[in-house]
Amino acid sequence: MKYNLLGNTGLKVSELCLGTMTFGQTEGRFKEIAKVDQAGADELLKRSVDAGINFLDTANVYSEGQSEEMTGQAIRNLGLSRSELIVATKVRGKMGDGPNQVGLTRKHIMDQAEASLKRLGTDYIDLYQMHSYDPLTPFEETLRAFDDLVRSGKVRYIGASNVAAWQLMKALGTSERLHLEKFVSLQAYYTVAGRELERELIPLLQDQKVGLMVWSPLAGGLLSGKYSRKKQEGEDGRRVNFDFPPVNRDRAFDILDILHPLAKQKGASVAQLSLAWLLHQPVVTSIIIGASKMSQLEDNLKSVDVKFSEEELKQLAEASALPAEYPGWMLDMTGQDRQK
């Protein structure tokens, strides 16, 4: 396991991060994802830590708070050192029926930070992330609340998730202008079958030295190995009842046409190759892997050992390339005379 710096900080996080969205058993909005009971959560966390993972990601909305509760309980059940773990959670989603139980207002952030601390059973959150954009709340209000949480010691670092490039840059600029804590990371969807992040956000992350945490690195199971051009509908897996995130299937199957034989050649799984492709991208800090079964976790952990040749990476890059889009093609053309 390798450890990477989280954005422009000195904090080292494992290149694989254990996602705990699968923790919980609920009839709510996460019922198609959350299948793991407390005993299963304990086993998955123990195996992850034994493999060198020090980074855990959850959110207040996952299974209506059960994921946070079970993550915290698993840490205690296993007798793990809290100081050796980097625990990340999120705020923004709806946590009740009241009009102020959602969003990125000062009230909701402060209320939910306290609730998350209680559910996790910890005194502090290492990385507190806004789960998405709130169009009703000014960034000044949101960032001052995050800044106060850092100053109080209840939060160590702050991050963003699921935002547009202009929103992230506006937030960074607001923090700079008001001398507030800055977002050190972005949690976003990125796969070899979904490279839209490369249009605007990845250049921004590289320019501003913001770390990248990747969610759904297997495209909601589409890159798990269960699917191929001949078998486009998996018999099991999450996409049967929860077809998310959206993927350009034509491009995805072009990529899978390469990954399936390449996996056989390397003695690896398609899932391992899909994760390894992300690990070969310099912008990626950590990949969030979630599992409902130990066999899935074991398979994903092996991705850190997969290596690609330059020719293999080129082949995958060509098959997964995004169609040219303005202003990208113009900037590529006009920038030819100013290359290093």
Side-chain angles (χ1 to χ4, degrees), residues 24-206:
Q25 296 177 314
T26 177
E27 289 302 313
R29 57 192 144 160
F30 290 92
K31 67 179 180 179
E32 301 298 339
I33 301 170
K35 307 289 184 183
V36 178
D37 61 14
Q38 188 63 59
D42 292 0
E43 291 177 359
L44 291 170
L45 179 56
K46 183 179 187 306
R47 180 67 186 97
S48 298
V49 171
D50 287 347
I53 289 177
N54 72 346
F55 201 10
L56 314 178
D57 180 75
T58 185
N60 60 349
V61 295
Y62 294 166
S63 298
E64 293 76 46
Q66 286 183 37
S67 174
E68 287 183 325
E69 290 173 353
M70 292 172 66
T71 299
Q73 189 62 51
I75 293 171
R76 294 189 293 277
N77 288 349
L78 296 170
L80 299 175
S81 171
R82 175 66 183 87
S83 64
E84 293 297 317
L85 298 173
I86 309 301
V87 178
T89 191
K90 311 179 195 74
V91 61
R92 196 280 185 209
K94 190 174 180 63
M95 291 298 290
D97 296 328
N100 292 309
Q101 291 181 294
V102 64
L104 291 171
T105 63
R106 182 179 187 84
K107 174 175 175 53
H108 189 62
I109 290 172
M110 293 300 188
D111 287 350
Q112 287 305 307
E114 294 295 341
S116 288
L117 288 167
K118 183 177 180 181
R119 285 190 290 263
L120 287 163
T122 186
D123 296 327
Y124 65 95
I125 297 164
D126 291 286
L127 178 64
Y128 202 32
Q129 305 158 98
M130 69 174 220
H131 212 154
S132 188
Y133 180 62
D134 176 2
L136 297 181
T137 306
F139 268 128
E140 289 84 351
E141 178 179 347
T142 297
L143 290 164
R144 283 193 186 281
F146 277 134
D147 188 77
D148 285 346
L149 286 170
V150 174
R151 300 288 164 238
S152 72
K154 294 179 179 179
V155 168
R156 301 288 170 84
Y157 302 92
I158 61 172
S161 179
N162 301 318
V163 293
W166 73 264
Q167 292 164 345
L168 179 56
M169 193 62 239
K170 183 176 181 179
L172 294 173
T174 299
S175 292
E176 181 82 20
R177 175 168 55 86
L178 299 178
H179 305 289
L180 303 174
E181 285 292 312
K182 287 186 175 183
F183 291 134
V184 302
S185 61
L186 173 70
Q187 187 173 146
Y189 170 66
Y190 184 39
T191 72
V192 67
R195 295 172 55 188
E196 291 82 2
L197 207 69
E198 296 174 6
R199 294 200 188 280
E200 296 286 345
L201 275 160
I202 284 181
L204 168 57
L205 299 181
Q206 293 172 323

